[in-house]
């Protein structure tokens, strides 16, 4: 499926389940996403993390709704509990099956996203490993000077921000030196198609979701 259209599908489904409380829909979405991830050969370790990491937040929401509201409504508490997992699994379906590069190309080519935002997004994601390395280097330098920088230390983040600003200038200069101009048309090296099949899948999933969302509880 086209990456950009897949993103809009995930966002649309997430918006609908946030506006219409429906336990059955949440459970169906979680089950389908889980089956899809297994079909795509996602490792069991990642799936286990998807189940464990949101557990604390989902449990807190459940306890808050069930124990600390006047009605002590178990149904609504369960809806919110499962809704968090539905969001997590919908996000996992997208992130585990779609590359950032293909998404940026799709948004630029098929949905007219300005190239500066597409390339800016790619630059931000590609620089994440470099930021991680730089943070570790800053902490190591601090330890060598007997000045421990914890993960919540303002000094650590201030130094990392200064490094990021320096990288942004270097990146801008590099793009200009390679002929990038945001107000000029650019050629397409790898075209991303948006076919009738993509629209058919998009429409079919939404049409199938509506009766489940509106007619079940």
């Amino acid at each position: 499926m086209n990456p950009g259209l897949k993103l809009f599908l995930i966002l649309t489904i997430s918006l609908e389940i946030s506006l219409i409380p429906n336990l059955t829909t949440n459970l169906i979405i979680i089950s389908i996403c889980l089956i899809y991830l297994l079909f795509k050969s996602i490792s069991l370790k990642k799936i286990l993390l998807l189940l464990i990491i949101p557990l604390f937040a989902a449990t807190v929401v459940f306890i808050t709704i069930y124990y600390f509201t006047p009605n002590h409504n178990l149904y609504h508490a369960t809806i919110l509990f499962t809704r968090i997992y539905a969001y997590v699994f919908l996000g996992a379906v997208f992130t585990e099956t779609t590359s950032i590069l293909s998404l940026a190309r799709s948004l630029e080519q098929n949905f007219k996203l300005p190239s500066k935002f597409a390339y800016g997004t790619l630059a931000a994601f590609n620089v994440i490993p470099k930021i991680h390395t730089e943070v570790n280097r800053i902490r190591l330098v601090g330890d060598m000077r007997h000045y421990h920088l914890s993960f919540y230390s303002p000094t650590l983040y201030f130094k990392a921000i200064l490094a990021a600003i320096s990288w942004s200038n270097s990146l801008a200069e590099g793009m200009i030196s390679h002929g990038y101009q945001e107000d000029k048309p650019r050629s397409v090296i790898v075209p991303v198609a948006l076919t009738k099949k993509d629209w058919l899948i998009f429409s079919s999933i939404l049409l199938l979701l509506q009766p489940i969302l509106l007619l079940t509880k």
Side-chain angles (χ1 to χ4, degrees):
M1 188 177 183
N2 179 274
L5 197 60
K6 187 191 296 185
L7 174 63
F8 292 131
L9 176 63
I10 296 296
L11 292 177
T12 301
I13 294 175
S14 299
L15 179 61
E16 287 195 321
I17 63 175
S18 67
L19 296 176
I20 303 176
N22 190 307
L23 178 59
T24 302
T25 303
N26 292 346
L27 294 175
I28 290 175
I29 289 174
I30 294 170
S31 301
I32 292 176
C33 289
L34 182 58
I35 293 171
Y36 183 77
L37 290 172
L38 291 173
F39 177 76
K40 289 293 183 177
S41 301
I42 304 301
S43 67
L44 293 177
K45 180 181 178 180
K46 287 186 176 180
I47 293 177
L48 186 61
L49 289 175
L50 290 175
L51 293 171
I52 294 175
I53 292 177
L55 182 60
F56 177 75
T59 303
V60 169
V61 170
F62 178 87
I63 292 173
T64 301
I65 299 300
Y66 184 66
Y67 289 100
F68 298 101
T69 56
N71 296 329
H72 301 290
N73 195 314
L74 178 62
Y75 178 72
H76 286 292
T78 308
I79 286 177
L80 293 179
F81 181 91
T82 55
R83 183 183 292 172
I84 291 176
Y85 275 98
Y87 289 149
V88 169
F89 276 92
L90 283 170
V93 164
F94 181 77
T95 56
E96 293 294 333
T97 60
T98 309
S99 70
I100 297 299
L101 180 58
S102 62
L103 175 62
R105 285 172 173 164
S106 173
L107 293 177
E108 182 188 14
Q109 297 175 28
N110 307 133
F111 298 96
K112 309 306 178 184
L113 180 73
S115 60
K116 61 182 178 181
F117 291 111
Y119 285 97
T121 302
L122 286 177
F125 276 95
N126 288 330
V127 85
I128 288 176
K130 192 173 181 180
I131 292 176
H132 184 264
T133 301
E134 180 66 16
V135 169
N136 288 336
R137 188 191 68 81
I138 294 172
R139 296 183 69 176
L140 179 60
V141 171
D143 290 338
M144 292 174 65
R145 295 177 179 177
H146 303 288
Y147 185 77
H148 179 67
L149 296 174
S150 60
F151 73 93
Y152 54 81
S153 172
T155 303
L156 176 63
Y157 293 103
F158 178 73
K159 290 180 178 292
I161 290 172
L162 291 179
I165 293 173
S166 175
W167 296 335
S168 66
N169 293 331
S170 299
L171 178 62
E173 293 174 0
M175 292 180 69
I176 293 173
S177 67
H178 281 77
Y180 175 79
Q181 296 180 17
E182 65 178 79
D183 57 343
K184 300 295 183 180
R186 298 184 59 82
S187 59
V188 176
I189 299 176
V190 181
V192 180
L194 180 57
T195 64
K196 292 181 180 179
K197 180 181 178 181
D198 294 325
W199 284 110
L200 179 62
I201 296 173
F202 178 85
S203 304
S204 300
I205 293 176
L206 288 183
L207 287 175
L208 289 173
L209 178 65
Q210 304 315 306
I212 299 173
L213 193 62
L214 299 174
L215 301 179
T216 60
K217 292 185 178 180

